[in-house]
Amino acid sequence: GNDHESVANTLHCLGYIHDSKNDSDKALTYHKEAWNVRKAIFGKDHVKVASSLDDIAGIYQKIGDNVKAISCLKEALRVRKLTLGNEDMEVATTLFGLGICCAAINETPKAMECYNRALEISAFDGSNPKLEAQALHQIGCVHALTCSYRDALQSWRTSLSKYREAGLADDHYMVACTLGNIEMAENVLSSGQ
């Protein structure tokens, strides 16, 4: 029958293939089918179900429907907290994604809450300095949106050190973006704005 893990995995792969071809409609269809099969096999409170929700959220985010992406990520977060605990790195990654989507719809307090919690978990865990750096970078971006350039600069400088700790060179796009943000904040602050 269709309620077998290999069917869900195949549907998942088809979703990724169509996503890579920028066919978001088909990608969404396959990822939703994989999600339904996984729910039928494992029940709604399983990490594989949460992974399918991440895939669906990613497509929604790609097509600009951040509200639907947030809904999927909130459910994935609920499942991960239930099955993995509140301090798991998968919880941190989900919170980071949720922060990105919240920021995209100008829910900056919620975005900041998600980024800070992701940062707490990843800093405590210590296994993913790149996620710490990304969370710090996004925290800096939220500060910049509110014209708190000193706070933004502090976040971006700490982000830069975390990227370097993770082994990323200055020509890596994430590091280069952070360096550009640092320069912009320094220019704004030196001009007295």
Side-chain angles (χ1 to χ4, degrees):
N2 285 341
D3 290 348
H4 193 274
E5 191 171 0
S6 63
V7 173
N9 293 341
T10 301
L11 291 165
H12 165 82
C13 289
L14 288 168
Y16 271 113
I17 290 168
H18 285 285
D19 185 27
S20 72
K21 296 161 111 182
N22 292 318
D23 188 347
S24 296
D25 289 337
K26 281 188 180 175
L28 191 56
T29 298
Y30 283 117
H31 283 309
K32 283 182 175 180
E33 287 181 30
W35 173 57
N36 283 320
V37 171
R38 285 178 172 160
K39 280 192 306 184
I41 297 168
F42 301 113
K44 65 181 177 69
D45 295 333
H46 193 280
V47 290
K48 290 187 180 185
V49 173
S51 292
S52 286
L53 287 164
D54 289 342
D55 297 333
I56 295 166
I59 301 299
Y60 280 135
Q61 184 183 12
K62 188 175 186 176
I63 63 175
D65 195 340
N66 286 292
V67 173
K68 286 185 181 173
I70 288 169
S71 178
C72 291
L73 289 170
K74 281 182 175 179
E75 178 61 11
L77 182 62
R78 183 195 68 75
V79 171
R80 287 195 170 102
K81 284 180 172 182
L82 179 70
T83 57
L84 303 172
N86 291 334
E87 307 302 318
D88 192 86
M89 282 303 296
E90 285 190 38
V91 170
T93 303
T94 305
L95 283 163
F96 179 78
L98 192 54
I100 295 285
C101 292
C102 288
I105 61 169
N106 295 317
E107 286 189 13
T108 51
K110 182 65 178 171
M112 191 67 101
E113 179 186 321
C114 290
Y115 295 141
N116 278 312
R117 186 68 184 114
L119 179 59
E120 284 175 22
I121 295 167
S122 57
F124 179 77
D125 179 87
S127 68
N128 193 343
K130 187 174 163 188
L131 180 61
E132 289 179 64
Q134 288 175 297
L136 285 159
H137 179 90
Q138 292 305 121
I139 290 167
C141 291
V142 173
H143 283 308
L145 285 172
T146 60
C147 298
S148 301
Y149 292 104
R150 287 192 198 295
D151 292 334
L153 187 57
Q154 181 181 348
S155 293
W156 288 329
R157 284 179 174 157
T158 308
S159 172
L160 179 62
S161 73
K162 287 291 176 183
Y163 279 134
R164 288 178 173 157
E165 182 183 317
L168 275 65
D170 286 1
D171 62 350
H172 187 280
Y173 75 94
M174 287 192 270
V175 178
C177 181
T178 301
L179 285 167
N181 288 354
I182 289 170
E183 183 179 354
M184 179 271 305
E186 289 172 341
N187 289 339
V188 167
L189 290 169
S190 69
S191 70
Q193 291 183 353

